[in-house]
C-alpha cells in the first residue's frame, strides 16, 4: 500500500500559492478582516445578516437562472412548452425551476426586510447616505427582475400582467405613449415583447444588480458597518467620525469573528428555498397565453397582489393619479430619506414616526394582498348555483326569476346566502331595503358600476327577476 503522506497539507499549500501569486492578503483578506464596531461593548448581532442572506439568494437565482436558460426557448410558440418540459420531464428541472420561483419571493422579502432593518436602526444616516441610495436602487432592480421574470412563463397571468403594465405606462404624462412602446416592444404584446423581457431579465437587470452590489459592498467596507443604535446617542456629524474610529479600535474583525453569522444565515435561507422547491416542486403554469380571452382573471405573483388590489379597488376617475402618483411618491420618499434626516437619533424608540412609516404601509399592503388573493371584484362567470333553500317553495314567476338570476350573470357579481360573486352588493335581503319599483329601475338602467339590462331582458323576464328578488327579505 502506498501512503500519501502530507495529503492534508495540499489545500493549505494551494491557498498559500494563490495568496502569494494574487496578493490576496493585501486585497481580499484585508476586506474580509475589516473591523466591525462595538458600541458600549455590544457587537453587531443577528439583525445584520439580512444583507448577506439576500446576496446568497441572488447568487442562487443567477445559478438556477443559467440552468433554466439552457432549456428555455424565448419564443411565443415554444416558451410555454419549454417550461412544461423543464417542470415535468427534465432531470431535476422541477427542483431548479422551483428554486428559481421561490427564490424570487425570498429575495423580495429579504431585500425589504434588510431595508426595513437599516431604516429602523438609522443606519442610513451620516456618513452612509450613499449606501442607502444604492440599496434603494437594488430594491427597484429586484422588483423589476421579479416582474420581468413573470412574463417569461407566457401563460394567461403573465400575458395579461404585461397588458396591465402597458396600460399603466400609458398613463404617464408626456412620455406615456413612448413608455408603452418601450414596455411591449411595439404596438401589441407578442413575440417581440417576450424577447425584450427575456433579454431584460437575463442580461440587463442582472448586470445592473452586479454593478450595484459592487458599489454597495464597497461603501459598506469603506464607510464601515453601522454600530447598533443606542437610545439617547444621536448622530452628530462633526464628532461622529472620531467616535466611530474609537469603536473600531475596540471592535472585532469581520472574518472570522462576525462572518459566521452571515454564513449561517445564507446557508439557512438557501437550504429553506431548496427544501420548499424539492417538496412542493415547480408551481403549475396557468393556461397558455390567449389574447382573445378577455375574462382570464389574471393575477400577478403574490408580492404584487397588493398593488393589483389597489388598481382593482380605486374609482376609475382616480386611476391616472394613483397609477402615476403612488409609485412616484413611494420611491421619492425612499430616495429622500437619507437626505432629509442625515443626523439625529438612530434608535427606533426615539423615532415613532419611523415606526409608523414602516408599520402602517405594511399593514395596509398585507390587507390589500389578502384582498388580492380573494379578488371579490372578479365576477364568477362560470359554474355555481343558488342554494336549495333560496329556490325552495318559490312561485312560478319567482322560480323563473331565480333561473334568470343565474343565466343572465347576476349570480356572477351578486351573492345570495353566501353563494355567488362579491363584485356587487349582497342581495340576500335586498327586498328589505328596496321597493319593487327601485329594484326594477336598477336592473333596467344599471348604475354605480352595474351595466344596464334593459336591452337584454324582455318585460316579462324583468318582472320575473324582480319577483324573485322581492322574496329576499
Amino acid at each position: 500500500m502506498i501512503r500519501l503522506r502530507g495529503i492534508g497539507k495540499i489545500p493549505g499549500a494551494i491557498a498559500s500559492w494563490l495568496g502569494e501569486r494574487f496578493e490576496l492578503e493585501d486585497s481580499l483578506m484585508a476586506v474580509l478582516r475589516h473591523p466591525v464596531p462595538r458600541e458600549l461593548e455590544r457587537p453587531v448581532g443577528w439583525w445584520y445578516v439580512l444583507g448577506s442572506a439576500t446576496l446568497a439568494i441572488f447568487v442562487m437565482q443567477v445559478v438556477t437562472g443559467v440552468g433554466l436558460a439552457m432549456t428555455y426557448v424565448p419564443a411565443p410558440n415554444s416558451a410555454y412548452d419549454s417550461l412544461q418540459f423543464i417542470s415535468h420531464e427534465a432531470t431535476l428541472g422541477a427542483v431548479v425551476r422551483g428554486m428559481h420561483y421561490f427564490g424570487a419571493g425570498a429575495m423580495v422579502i429579504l431585500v425589504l426586510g434588510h431595508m426595513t432593518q437599516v431604516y429602523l436602526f438609522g443606519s442610513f444616516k451620516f456618513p452612509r447616505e450613499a449606501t442607502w441610495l444604492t440599496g434603494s436602487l437594488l430594491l427597484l432592480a429586484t422588483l423589476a427582475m421579479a416582474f420581468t421574470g413573470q412574463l417569461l412563463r407566457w401563460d394567461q397571468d403573465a400575458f395579461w400582467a404585461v397588458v396591465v403594465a402597458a396600460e399603466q405606462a400609458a398613463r404617464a404624462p408626456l412620455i406615456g405613449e413612448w413608455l408603452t412602446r418601450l414596455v411591449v416592444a411595439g404596438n401589441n404584446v407578442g413575440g417581440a415583447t417576450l424577447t425584450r423581457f427575456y433579454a431584460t431579465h437575463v442580461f440587463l437587470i442582472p448586470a445592473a444588480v452586479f454593478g450595484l452590489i459592487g458599489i454597495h459592498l464597497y461603501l459598506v467596507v469603506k464607510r464601515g458597518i453601522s454600530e447598533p443604535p443606542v437610545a439617547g446617542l444621536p448622530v452628530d456629524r462633526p464628532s461622529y467620525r472620531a467616535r466611530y474610529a474609537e469603536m473600531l479600535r475596540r471592535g472585532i474583525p469581520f472574518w472570522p469573528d462576525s462572518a459566521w453569522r452571515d454564513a449561517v444565515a445564507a446557508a439557512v435561507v438557501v437550504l429553506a428555498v431548496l427544501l420548499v422547491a424539492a417538496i412542493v416542486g415547480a408551481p403549475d403554469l396557468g393556461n397558455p397565453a390567449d389574447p382573445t380571452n378577455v375574462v382570464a382573471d389574471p393575477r400577478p405573483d403574490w408580492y404584487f397582489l397588493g398593488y393589483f388590489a389597489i388598481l382593482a379597488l380605486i374609482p376609475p376617475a382616480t386611476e391616472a393619479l394613483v397609477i402615476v402618483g403612488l409609485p412616484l411618491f413611494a420611491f421619492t420618499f425612499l430616495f429622500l430619506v437619507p437626505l432629509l434626516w442625515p443626523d439625529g437619533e438612530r434608535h427606533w424608540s426615539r423615532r415613532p414616526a419611523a415606526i409608523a412609516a414602516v408599520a402602517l404601509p405594511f399593514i395596509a399592503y398585507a390587507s390589500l394582498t389578502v384582498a388580492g388573493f380573494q379578488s371579490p371584484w372578479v365576477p364568477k362567470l362560470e359554474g355555481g348555483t343558488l342554494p336549495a333553500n333560496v329556490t325552495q317553495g318559490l312561485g312560478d314567476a319567482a322560480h323563473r326569476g331565480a333561473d334568470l338570476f343565474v343565466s343572465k350573470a347576476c349570480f356572477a357579481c351578486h351573492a345570495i346566502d353566501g353563494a355567488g360573486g362579491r363584485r356587487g352588493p349582497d342581495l340576500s335581503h335586498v327586498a328589505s331595503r328596496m321597493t319593487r319599483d327601485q329594484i326594477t329601475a336598477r336592473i333596467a338602467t344599471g348604475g354605480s358600476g352595474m351595466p344596464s339590462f334593459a336591452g337584454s331582458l324582455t318585460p316579462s323576464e324583468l318582472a320575473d327577476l324582480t319577483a324573485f328578488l322581492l322574496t329576499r327579505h
Side-chain angles (χ1 to χ4, degrees), residues 27-44:
S27 55
L28 178 62
M29 295 310 298
V31 172
L32 289 177
R33 289 173 181 159
H34 70 275
V36 175
R38 286 174 180 260
E39 177 62 86
L40 301 180
E41 301 306 320
R42 293 189 306 156
V44 297

Side-chain angles (χ1 to χ4, degrees), residues 87-417:
S87 302
H88 302 291
E89 299 182 43
T91 303
L92 295 178
V95 175
V96 173
R97 183 171 164 251
M99 290 180 67
H100 199 72
Y101 173 82
F102 293 112
M107 189 168 175
V108 171
I109 293 173
L110 288 169
V111 169
L112 290 173
H114 179 49
M115 294 200 70
T116 300
Q117 175 263 319
V118 169
Y119 178 67
L120 291 179
F121 277 40
S123 300
F124 61 87
K125 295 180 180 290
F126 176 86
R128 300 178 182 87
E129 298 94 333
T131 311
W132 171 271
L133 294 177
T134 57
S136 300
L137 291 174
L138 282 168
L139 172 62
L140 288 178
T142 300
L143 296 176
M145 192 155 50
F147 177 74
T148 53
Q150 179 175 329
L151 174 69
L152 303 186
R153 296 197 287 268
W154 204 243
D155 57 6
Q156 283 288 68
D157 285 349
F159 181 89
W160 289 106
V162 178
V163 173
V164 172
E167 291 176 350
Q168 293 180 59
R171 304 297 181 95
L174 301 178
I175 62 171
E177 182 178 353
W178 173 83
L179 195 59
T180 302
R181 292 177 62 85
L182 180 66
V183 170
V184 302
N187 297 318
N188 300 297
V189 178
T193 312
L194 178 60
T195 302
R196 177 160 296 181
F197 270 67
Y198 177 78
T200 302
H201 182 76
V202 174
F203 301 112
L204 184 60
I205 298 178
V209 171
F210 273 116
L212 288 170
I213 287 176
I215 298 173
H216 193 71
L217 293 178
Y218 168 80
L219 291 171
V220 168
V221 174
K222 193 69 175 177
R223 293 302 180 193
I225 298 174
S226 65
E227 72 280 9
V230 176
L233 192 61
V235 172
D236 178 61
R237 277 183 276 185
S239 61
Y240 178 79
R241 290 187 183 276
R243 183 165 64 85
Y244 186 76
E246 177 60 29
M247 285 185 280
L248 290 184
R249 277 193 289 272
R250 62 175 182 268
I252 57 175
F254 175 74
W255 176 272
D257 295 42
S258 183
W260 67 269
R261 292 190 188 90
D262 296 75
V264 169
V268 167
V269 294
V270 171
L271 182 60
V273 172
L274 173 60
L275 288 176
V276 173
I279 296 171
V280 179
D284 292 331
L285 298 174
N287 294 323
D290 180 6
T292 65
N293 184 3
V294 297
V295 291
D297 183 19
R299 299 185 188 186
D301 288 336
W302 65 266
Y303 31 80
F304 292 124
L305 268 177
Y307 187 64
F308 166 75
I310 293 175
L311 299 181
L313 293 171
I314 58 176
T318 64
E319 284 182 353
L321 178 62
V322 173
I323 288 172
V324 176
L326 185 60
L328 183 63
F329 170 79
F331 291 115
T332 299
F333 174 80
L334 194 68
F335 285 97
L336 287 179
V337 160
L339 305 179
L340 295 177
W341 300 284
D343 47 23
E345 286 283 353
R346 291 183 58 222
H347 201 276
W348 60 87
S349 65
R350 300 295 183 94
R351 296 161 54 223
I355 297 175
V358 170
L360 295 180
F362 174 79
I363 294 172
Y365 198 80
S367 302
L368 288 166
T369 301
V370 173
F373 277 110
Q374 297 175 345
S375 299
W377 52 82
V378 178
K380 296 184 177 181
L381 298 175
E382 297 180 357
T385 58
L386 289 168
N389 66 296
V390 174
T391 58
Q392 186 176 5
L394 295 177
D396 291 341
H399 200 281
R400 291 193 299 269
D403 292 338
L404 289 168
F405 187 84
V406 175
S407 63
K408 293 296 183 179
C410 305
F411 183 83
C413 293
H414 298 278
I416 290 182
D417 283 7

Side-chain angles (χ1 to χ4, degrees), residues 34-116:
H34 70 275
V36 175
R38 286 174 180 260
E39 177 62 86
L40 301 180
E41 301 306 320
R42 293 189 306 156
V44 297
W46 288 99
W47 284 111
Y48 285 73
V49 302
L50 294 176
S52 298
T54 306
L55 178 60
I57 290 293
F58 173 69
V59 173
M60 186 196 74
Q61 290 296 92
V62 171
V63 173
T64 55
V66 169
L68 293 174
M70 290 182 177
T71 305
Y72 178 77
V73 181
N77 59 346
S78 304
Y80 186 88
D81 291 336
S82 66
L83 280 180
Q84 291 284 40
F85 172 80
I86 291 171
S87 302
H88 302 291
E89 299 182 43
T91 303
L92 295 178
V95 175
V96 173
R97 183 171 164 251
M99 290 180 67
H100 199 72
Y101 173 82
F102 293 112
M107 189 168 175
V108 171
I109 293 173
L110 288 169
V111 169
L112 290 173
H114 179 49
M115 294 200 70
T116 300

